[in-house]
Amino acid sequence: MGIEVGSILDGKVTGITKFGAFVALPGNRSGLVHISEIAYSYVSDVHDLLSEGQEVKVKVIGIDDSNRINLSIKQALPPPPRPERRSGPRPEGDHRPQGRRSAPSRGYVPEPSQPKGPASFEDQLKQFMQSSDSKLSELHMNEKRGSRRGGRK
């Protein structure tokens, strides 16, 4: 059986580095599981989850031009269940508003809604820059107003 993208294989961890783990595969091949492909949660140290000699199930997620095999442990397993959202009545004394949060009342004016659909990267960047400039100038104006008040009595 050849190793191809999408196949799930059994392997053995042969080496651990700060960026991932090397796994021995059938047919005297080996591949790398990048640290981001070890678990669905954040991994700060590979040694926390894997050890040399450990048997693992891996999914082949890529083979590059140099025939290096990229592997994933997390994609070979089913994803963890999502936490359930609580619904229903709130405990007595909980006066938080229900539904979506409203916009802050410090002079915030929401951007006009854009037509739905995919926007190009350039459009998204332009929109972000306009929004950022607007917010920065508003902050700058508030700082100027605040310094004038505190300066005179």
Side-chain angles (χ1 to χ4, degrees), residues 78-117:
R82 297 183 94 179
E84 249 184 66
R85 295 188 84 183
R86 288 184 10 183
S87 60
R90 293 192 176 189
E92 208 167 308
D94 187 351
H95 300 291
R96 291 179 291 173
Q98 291 188 346
R100 298 185 82 180
R101 287 183 152 184
S102 60
S105 60
R106 284 185 254 138
Y108 173 77
V109 178
E111 296 289 322
S113 62
Q114 299 293 322
K116 300 293 181 208

Side-chain angles (χ1 to χ4, degrees), residues 5-152:
V5 174
S7 50
I8 296 180
L9 308 165
D10 290 317
K12 183 183 276 191
V13 177
T14 58
I16 296 178
T17 67
K18 64 182 178 183
F19 55 83
F22 290 96
V23 176
L25 301 171
N28 269 349
R29 305 282 307 267
S30 68
L32 173 70
V33 179
H34 188 266
I35 191 170
S36 65
E37 290 294 329
I38 292 175
Y40 282 99
S41 59
Y42 176 75
V43 178
S44 62
D45 186 1
V46 179
H47 289 95
D48 292 343
L49 296 172
L50 298 175
S51 57
E52 287 190 32
Q54 180 179 350
E55 298 281 334
V56 291
K57 190 171 289 290
V58 293
K59 180 177 181 179
V60 179
I61 58 172
I63 301 174
D64 67 12
D65 295 336
S66 302
N67 263 346
R68 293 182 294 198
I69 302 170
N70 298 316
L71 304 170
S72 174
I73 294 174
K74 72 180 184 183
Q75 291 184 36
L77 305 170
R82 297 183 94 179
E84 249 184 66
R85 295 188 84 183
R86 288 184 10 183
S87 60
R90 293 192 176 189
E92 208 167 308
D94 187 351
H95 300 291
R96 291 179 291 173
Q98 291 188 346
R100 298 185 82 180
R101 287 183 152 184
S102 60
S105 60
R106 284 185 254 138
Y108 173 77
V109 178
E111 296 289 322
S113 62
Q114 299 293 322
K116 300 293 181 208
S120 70
F121 175 76
E122 288 79 14
D123 291 339
Q124 290 176 353
L125 182 61
K126 182 179 176 183
Q127 183 180 2
F128 169 79
M129 292 299 290
Q130 288 172 344
S131 173
S132 179
D133 288 344
S134 171
K135 290 174 185 175
L136 280 173
S137 66
E138 183 179 321
L139 283 172
H140 185 68
M141 291 303 292
N142 286 339
E143 283 177 3
K144 280 186 172 181
R145 282 188 215 132
S147 67
R148 275 191 247 142
R149 287 185 193 147
R152 291 187 220 159

